[in-house]
Amino acid sequence: MERVPLRERVRTFVLEGLVAGRWEPGDRIVERRIAIELGISQAPVREALRELETMELVTSTPNKGVRVRELTLDQLRDVYLVRASLERRAVTLAAPRLAGNAAALEQHMLAMRRAAVEGDVDGQALHGVAFHRAIVHACGNPVLIRHWDWLGVEAWTRLSLRWLRTELHDNVEDHEEIAEGLLRGDPHLGRLMELHVMDYAHESGTA
């Protein structure tokens, strides 16, 4: 098994805590407590919290520690704007690699449909993000992949549903259009993906 750096494990632990409601906006996240709970030193916890600060999910103040940020719709729209640009390029690069083989994407779309029928909002969000992640990770550009991962798309999606009461973008047909475009080599696929992602921002504006 590939060893996951402690820093990444801590970051995932905190993100899951935010989504699950362990920490709410304004709550303090105590570095020492996390280190004790996970049985590790404080160094990787400190590194993980710094990364979460660059993602604008937490804020650090001298002598006051780290607290969960209040998220805003403007922040969310900024994330989607950057995400749309990255995914427009990613899907263009991934197209030759995924052409004729969209099995993984189809699995995520089936899971989204199943979650929709069951009323599983969190499942819809998870599989929707997984659909996009599969395309980005197939682009073959490690820098682009790293920057997309850094955006924390899954965390932003789930937190916006929880804290900002945004509407879930759960239209499986939109995702099918992307998958079909990959299969047929649609020359406008990049623009199609960009518009698809920006729909998230437009829906957030009406929340």
Side-chain angles (χ1 to χ4, degrees):
M1 291 181 63
E2 182 182 354
R3 289 183 60 84
V4 178
L6 276 176
R7 179 193 73 254
E8 292 184 20
R9 286 170 51 195
V10 175
R11 184 180 62 189
T12 299
F13 174 81
V14 176
L15 285 173
E16 285 300 320
L18 292 173
V19 171
R22 175 174 179 175
W23 295 288
E24 299 286 347
D27 286 350
R28 187 181 177 199
I29 299 180
V30 182
E31 182 182 300
R32 187 184 302 108
R33 288 180 187 170
I34 294 176
I36 292 173
E37 186 171 345
L38 297 180
I40 58 178
S41 70
Q42 289 182 223
V45 179
R46 192 174 303 119
E47 292 174 6
L49 292 177
R50 285 197 193 112
E51 289 188 1
L52 291 173
E53 186 170 19
T54 64
M55 292 167 63
E56 300 190 359
L57 293 173
V58 303
T59 183
S60 176
T61 306
N63 302 318
K64 292 185 179 180
V66 175
R67 292 189 180 275
V68 181
R69 287 191 64 163
E70 296 278 354
L71 303 188
T72 68
L73 289 173
D74 284 341
Q75 284 177 287
L76 191 61
R77 280 190 287 267
D78 287 345
V79 169
Y80 285 140
L81 183 63
V82 175
R83 176 186 169 187
S85 297
L86 290 174
E87 291 200 30
R88 175 173 183 160
R89 185 57 178 159
V91 76
T92 302
L93 293 172
R97 300 165 182 264
L98 294 176
N101 182 18
L105 302 182
E106 290 169 0
Q107 289 178 2
H108 293 309
M109 289 187 292
L110 286 173
M112 288 173 66
R113 280 200 192 88
R114 185 165 56 249
V117 170
E118 296 171 355
D120 180 3
V121 174
D122 202 43
Q124 287 176 271
L126 287 171
H127 290 294
V129 173
F131 175 96
H132 288 268
R133 183 184 294 110
I135 292 173
V136 171
H137 282 224
C139 79
N141 186 316
V143 177
L144 192 157
I145 294 169
R146 189 161 58 248
H147 279 75
W148 189 90
D149 286 340
W150 174 85
L151 283 176
V153 172
E154 182 178 306
W156 273 99
T157 299
R158 296 168 72 190
L159 288 174
S160 67
L161 289 169
R162 177 180 172 80
W163 291 349
L164 299 177
R165 300 293 186 264
T166 56
E167 296 180 12
L168 180 67
H169 185 94
D170 60 351
N171 191 339
V172 180
E173 285 71 26
D174 286 352
H175 292 80
E176 287 178 339
E177 191 174 7
I178 299 295
E180 290 169 1
L182 282 164
L183 291 174
R184 67 173 182 266
D186 190 330
H188 305 294
L189 187 59
R191 179 58 176 162
L192 186 65
M193 176 64 88
E194 183 178 33
L195 292 173
H196 169 72
V197 173
M198 287 309 297
D199 276 347
Y200 297 138
H202 295 151
E203 290 181 4
S204 298
T206 63

